[in-house]
């Protein structure tokens, strides 16, 4: 693969906190390697800003391996940038050419308030999981993986749903700022397995209630969420969530 360097224009959203009004600031970056990751490119810019006595750009990151979901930002109007099934930290600068302008923004959703610059507060997702996205049974020591027989198609579907990293791209892409893809993944991967059966009904009712409480919008099934999901979570999980919610609501003990 050909290696090259490039000069770029960055328009980055700067905002001190959620109370103050933000703005775009323009930066020129030079001699950026095509083999750098997108976050490494921002690191280079931040090193220069620090040397100049300026405030570096705040952005969220942790593993830089596409696992944690922290590196959440719009890049030229698309969550996580132009590559399909890819997180921002996995995006490399070979996706761009010399002289391009790149616009970088935080997630735009009322439920994800800006903390600073490109960092948003995604703790609403944590509270949704705390409402029921777990199994509260004391299982003791871990049993052998094959001790409980599970149908292959259900095991595969549960594994695919459990791949959700909670980055929030689905919310950012949705015109309604809906969290249904995230929630459906968390409900589905437990609803499909026998371990999740005892709390199946209370789980979906409590988690949907918490999602509504957090102020996320309704789902109108435009499938924009699936299109930008770095882990390719399927919208069929939303259909399963609706089914689980209806059954739980109709059979709930008063």
């Amino acid at each position: 693969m050909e290696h090259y360097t490039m000069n770029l224009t960055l328009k980055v959203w700067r905002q001190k906190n959620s109370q103050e009004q933000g703005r775009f600031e323009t930066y020129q970056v030079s001699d950026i390697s095509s083999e750098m990751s997108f976050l490494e490119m921002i690191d280079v810019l931040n090193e220069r800003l620090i040397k100049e006595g300026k405030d570096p750009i705040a952005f969220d990151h942790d593993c830089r391996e596409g696992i944690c979901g922290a590196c959440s930002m719009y890049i030229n109007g698309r969550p996580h940038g132009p590559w399909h099934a890819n997180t921002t930290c996995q995006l490399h600068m070979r996706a761009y050419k010399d002289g391009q302008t790149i616009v970088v923004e935080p997630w735009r959703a009322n439920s994800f308030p800006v903390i600073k610059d490109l960092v948003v507060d995604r703790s609403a997702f944590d509270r949704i999981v705390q409402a029921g996205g777990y199994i509260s049974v004391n299982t003791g020591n871990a049993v052998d993986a094959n001790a409980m027989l599970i149908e292959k198609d259900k095991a595969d579907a549960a594994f695919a749903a459990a791949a959700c990293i909670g980055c929030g791209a689905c919310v950012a892409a949705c015109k309604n700022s809906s969290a249904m893809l995230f929630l459906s993944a968390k409900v589905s991967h437990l609803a499909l397995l026998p371990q999740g059966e005892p709390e199946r009904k209370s789980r979906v009712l409590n988690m949907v209630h918490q999602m509504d409480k957090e102020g996320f919008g309704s789902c109108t099934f435009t499938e924009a969420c699936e299109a930008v999901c770095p882990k390719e979570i399927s919208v069929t999980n939303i259909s399963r969530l609706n089914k689980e919610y209806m059954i739980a609501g109709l059979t709930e003990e008063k």
Side-chain angles (χ1 to χ4, degrees):
M1 185 176 294
E2 181 186 2
H3 172 265
Y4 58 93
T5 59
M6 66 194 86
N7 300 326
L8 300 166
T9 300
L10 299 181
K11 294 185 176 180
V12 183
W13 185 260
R14 304 302 307 267
Q15 186 172 343
K16 287 187 176 181
N17 52 55
S18 58
Q19 283 72 44
E20 294 196 22
Q21 190 169 359
R23 68 201 180 281
F24 281 106
E25 289 192 5
T26 303
Y27 302 96
Q28 304 295 328
V29 289
S30 304
D31 298 323
I32 298 299
S33 169
S34 59
E35 298 307 302
M36 282 184 180
S37 72
F38 196 88
L39 297 187
E40 286 171 337
M41 181 270 297
I42 298 180
D43 288 337
V44 169
L45 173 58
N46 276 344
E47 287 177 3
R48 193 188 82 196
L49 292 176
I50 292 170
K51 287 180 181 178
E52 294 173 353
K54 298 178 181 178
D55 192 26
I57 299 165
F59 64 97
D60 211 352
H61 63 98
D62 191 0
C63 73
R64 299 204 179 197
E65 294 179 339
I67 298 171
C68 69
C71 57
S72 305
M73 59 185 77
Y74 274 113
I75 304 172
N76 283 348
R78 181 182 172 89
H80 293 301
W83 285 357
H84 178 68
N86 198 82
T87 56
T88 301
C89 61
Q90 294 174 304
L91 176 65
H92 281 70
M93 297 312 296
R94 57 180 175 269
Y96 302 95
K97 299 298 181 184
D98 184 49
Q100 276 191 265
T101 297
I102 305 174
V103 181
V104 189
E105 313 171 62
W107 285 166
R108 303 293 190 183
N110 288 336
S111 300
F112 291 158
V114 173
I115 296 175
K116 184 179 181 181
D117 296 340
L118 304 177
V119 182
V120 298
D121 182 359
R122 291 179 295 127
S123 60
F125 273 8
D126 297 331
R127 291 187 289 272
I128 290 174
V129 173
Q130 289 166 5
Y134 53 82
I135 295 171
S136 59
V137 178
N138 183 6
T139 58
N141 293 332
V143 297
D144 291 339
N146 60 351
M148 185 177 292
L149 298 180
I150 300 172
E151 297 173 31
K152 181 67 163 58
D153 58 340
K154 288 187 177 180
D156 288 346
F159 185 87
C164 171
I165 57 176
C167 66
C170 51
V171 175
C174 179
K175 63 180 181 180
N176 305 319
S177 296
S178 172
M180 283 288 277
L181 190 68
F182 165 78
L183 174 56
S184 67
K186 299 305 177 186
V187 168
S188 289
H189 89 265
L190 293 175
L192 287 163
L193 299 175
Q195 292 93 335
E197 182 63 33
E199 298 166 298
R200 188 171 184 170
K201 295 177 183 178
S202 61
R203 175 182 301 112
V204 65
L205 292 173
N206 292 339
M207 293 181 76
V208 169
H209 174 73
Q210 186 64 39
M211 178 186 68
D212 293 340
K213 185 178 177 181
E214 297 294 342
F216 291 102
S218 299
C219 174
T220 49
F221 227 83
T222 59
E223 303 183 32
C225 50
E226 180 182 319
V228 301
C229 177
K231 297 303 176 181
E232 300 182 280
I233 305 298
S234 173
V235 292
T236 56
N237 288 298
I238 297 178
S239 299
R240 183 179 294 110
L241 169 63
N242 289 333
K243 175 185 174 183
E244 293 287 330
Y245 185 75
M246 289 178 65
I247 293 173
L250 290 171
T251 59
E252 180 186 18
E253 295 183 5
K254 302 296 183 181

